[in-house]
Amino acid sequence: MTTAPCLMCALEDAHEDSVVFRDPLWAAEIAPGYDVPGWFVLRARRHAELLTGLDDAELAAFGVRARNLTAAVTAATGAPATYLMAFGENHRHFHVLISARGEDVPPELRGGNILKLRESRLDPAASLALLPAVRDAYRQLIPA
């Protein structure tokens, strides 16, 4: 049986320009195909499937990383809402999608329905242009 390459594992090779942060357990990047301005993937660096596949150290660190990345995305975008979503069906390697939701998003496309905007709002250049502000905001949340 042949398995498809893991998109989340492949992000280990992502160019530094698309990386918010990487530490020994977690990384946050712009993922190809999800490069909508204000959308970032927070993923376990190790190939751990689903939330239940994380070890104790990954679980202990996840909440802080998720909180800080969500806060950084919100600060950099000024979004009135920032979502954290985990599904695990298409990509079982544990990750969450953190998505800024702008004022321009109509009520029927809020919440989980924001994913319906993915194709129409893909903008790799704008995503990369926003990343330094998110990276800077994230670094300000890390204790010295």
Side-chain angles (χ1 to χ4, degrees), residues 60-105:
F62 172 69
V64 174
R65 302 304 182 279
R67 178 199 62 202
N68 290 350
L69 183 57
T70 300
V73 170
T74 301
T77 63
T82 304
Y83 304 136
L84 183 147
M85 297 176 276
F87 299 103
E89 288 184 280
N90 295 328
H91 305 287
R92 292 185 60 82
H93 179 142
F94 185 73
H95 68 286
V96 295
L97 179 65
I98 295 178
S99 307
R101 193 266 300 153
E103 290 284 358
D104 62 322
V105 175

